[in-house]
Amino acid sequence: MKGTVLGIEGTAWNLSAAIVNEKDLIAEVTDTYKPATGGIHPREAAQHHAKYASYVVRKVLEEAKEKGVDVQDIDAISFSQGPGLGACLRTVATAARMLAISLDKPLIGVNHCLAHIEVGRWKTPATDPVTLYVSGANSQVLAYRRGKYRVFGETLDIGLGNAFDKFARNAGISHPGGPKIEELARKSTNYIPLPYVVKGMDFSFSGLSTAASEALRKHSLEDVCYSLQETAFAMVVEVTERALAHTGKNEVLLGGGVGANMRLREMLDIMCDERGASFYVPEKRFMGDNGAMIAYLGLLMYDSGNIIEIADSHVNPNFRPDDVMVNWIEDNQQEKEDVSN
Ligand code: ATP
Ligand code: FE2
């Protein structure tokens, strides 16, 4: 693999531009939208991205230049095509198109969920993992099989992080709630039963979040935070374990902002240990939304000829990872035999 790609991420809060080559991340510049109060306002977030897009691009080019990588060295421009907030996606896509046109470089549309997986495969020893991707808006269990990353399980309603944030708001905890819930949960070991919702291989968090808010009437905040975490994490760990069993894979990779949680890591670690699987967690900067992952998947796609025309570069707020034909991974012998049978 060879080449140098500039990638731009901007599906939600984080606007981030990065330049990578096959060896490493060369430069990354991020500017995060921070609402004055409460959660994300999509239109305000998009306005933020519009205001700072040229800044992050200019700055990342400057930083790369200091490291000896010139703008002429860039082979392609990649951007997050979805999933995400429509207004944010459109803003970042416009910036990426303009850059591609003005530099006369090919454009690459990247699926944000796959970028989380690929950056993990790049930055940890994982080669063919089952990935648990848990962020604010997304919660999925994914693994590669015969030309695609398949979704083995996913949330039927809201993402795990959003469920935590919603509960936190009801409990009077400031946004984002996840890190504070983790801190409060450490002060309790008193489990209060809460709805554990796994249907087939999918999970649901909306009812759990509401039930946790209601439990506050009778129980301490610490006990509820503890029980909320234990329940939600047990659900996603169960589905991850079943995906391991089903696929016969022996690696688990964690991604997304909720992956910062130490209790979730501990539970995954124990599960992997019991099954003889390896558990991998990338460095924190590659777990939440970041430009490096978009640039890196852009590089993999550039190298495998996945370039799009400007006319076909519309964004897709519901872009599913299993809609992408993955031709940058070589199927192993077993998978080739499966296909011919
Ligand atoms: P997307 O869903 O598009 O990937 P996002 O901005 O919603 O992006 P991230 O930045 O990946 O998501 O993650 C933010 C979420 O992670 C928030 O919901 C936050 O509460 C949660 N989070 C962050 N740290 C922790 C933690 N230590 N424990 C639990 N949840 C956490
Ligand atoms: Fe993400």
Side-chain angles (χ1 to χ4, degrees), residues 11 13 112 133 135-138 161 164-165 176 178-179 182 256-258 261 288-289:
T11 55
W13 309 77
H112 175 96
Y133 167 38
S135 66
N138 298 296
F164 279 9
D165 296 338
E182 177 172 19
V258 181
N261 190 291
D289 294 346

Side-chain angles (χ1 to χ4, degrees), residues 152-223:
F152 284 87
E154 64 190 315
T155 181
L156 297 169
D157 43 48
I158 57 177
L160 180 42
N162 284 354
F164 279 9
D165 296 338
K166 205 171 96 183
F167 162 78
R169 217 161 28 244
N170 288 331
I173 299 168
S174 65
H175 191 88
K180 288 148 206 150
I181 291 171
E182 177 172 19
E183 227 179 281
L184 289 158
R186 262 195 225 115
K187 297 180 185 149
S188 168
T189 50
N190 183 23
Y191 184 75
I192 304 154
L194 290 172
Y196 181 99
V197 190
V198 174
K199 291 179 188 164
M201 286 289 278
D202 296 323
F203 27 77
S204 143
F205 299 113
S206 187
L208 170 62
S209 178
T210 308
S213 297
E214 281 165 7
L216 284 173
R217 286 196 227 126
K218 289 196 199 138
H219 303 277
S220 75
L221 181 59
E222 289 80 2
D223 288 355

Side-chain angles (χ1 to χ4, degrees), residues 19-311:
I19 297 173
V20 306
N21 63 18
E22 66 278 9
K23 289 191 215 88
D24 211 350
L25 168 62
I26 296 157
E28 184 178 51
V29 175
T30 300
D31 198 287
T32 306
Y33 156 74
K34 293 184 197 79
T37 54
I40 192 162
H41 308 284
R43 199 163 42 92
E44 277 180 23
Q47 280 162 358
H48 164 273
H49 294 357
K51 190 169 166 195
Y52 291 100
S54 62
Y55 160 77
V56 294
V57 168
R58 210 178 325 117
K59 189 104 170 105
V60 82
L61 285 168
E62 267 171 38
E63 287 187 13
K65 199 177 164 97
E66 281 166 22
K67 295 187 180 158
V69 175
D70 245 35
V71 67
Q72 295 93 305
D73 301 328
I74 290 169
D75 297 299
I77 307 296
S78 65
F79 69 103
S80 267
Q81 210 170 5
L85 299 167
C88 296
L89 291 171
R90 283 191 294 275
T91 304
V92 168
T94 305
R97 287 180 200 118
M98 282 173 61
L99 200 58
I101 291 168
S102 60
L103 297 178
D104 195 22
K105 299 293 173 190
L107 187 65
I108 295 161
V110 161
N111 180 284
H112 175 96
C113 309
L114 296 192
H116 276 287
I117 302 176
E118 292 299 356
V119 82
R121 294 208 307 135
W122 191 33
K123 291 294 176 186
T124 74
T127 57
D128 184 20
V130 168
T131 300
L132 173 63
Y133 167 38
V134 273
S135 66
N138 298 296
S139 296
Q140 288 173 330
V141 176
L142 306 127
Y144 178 81
R145 189 156 192 181
R146 289 189 235 149
K148 275 186 179 180
Y149 278 102
R150 318 270 165 179
V151 180
F152 284 87
E154 64 190 315
T155 181
L156 297 169
D157 43 48
I158 57 177
L160 180 42
N162 284 354
F164 279 9
D165 296 338
K166 205 171 96 183
F167 162 78
R169 217 161 28 244
N170 288 331
I173 299 168
S174 65
H175 191 88
K180 288 148 206 150
I181 291 171
E182 177 172 19
E183 227 179 281
L184 289 158
R186 262 195 225 115
K187 297 180 185 149
S188 168
T189 50
N190 183 23
Y191 184 75
I192 304 154
L194 290 172
Y196 181 99
V197 190
V198 174
K199 291 179 188 164
M201 286 289 278
D202 296 323
F203 27 77
S204 143
F205 299 113
S206 187
L208 170 62
S209 178
T210 308
S213 297
E214 281 165 7
L216 284 173
R217 286 196 227 126
K218 289 196 199 138
H219 303 277
S220 75
L221 181 59
E222 289 80 2
D223 288 355
V224 178
C225 286
Y226 171 73
S227 308
L228 174 60
Q229 274 199 177
E230 294 299 301
T231 310
F233 294 164
M235 284 160 52
V236 294
V237 172
E238 181 197 326
V239 173
T240 308
E241 178 168 21
R242 284 164 54 201
L244 272 181
H246 181 77
T247 57
K249 297 192 193 286
N250 56 14
E251 298 172 331
V252 170
L253 175 68
L254 183 60
V258 181
N261 190 291
M262 296 313 283
R263 177 58 181 151
L264 174 58
R265 293 182 185 192
E266 183 184 33
M267 287 169 78
L268 285 165
D269 203 32
I270 292 167
M271 181 274 282
C272 287
D273 216 39
E274 283 171 356
R275 299 191 59 89
S278 308
F279 175 48
Y280 296 110
V281 183
E283 218 182 299
K284 198 172 171 190
R285 66 178 299 180
F286 298 116
M287 295 260 283
D289 294 346
N290 61 89
M293 69 183 193
I294 303 304
Y296 180 67
L297 178 49
L299 176 58
L300 291 176
M301 291 176 73
Y302 170 71
D303 236 59
S304 50
N306 292 284
I307 285 159
I308 52 174
E309 295 302 321
I310 300 278

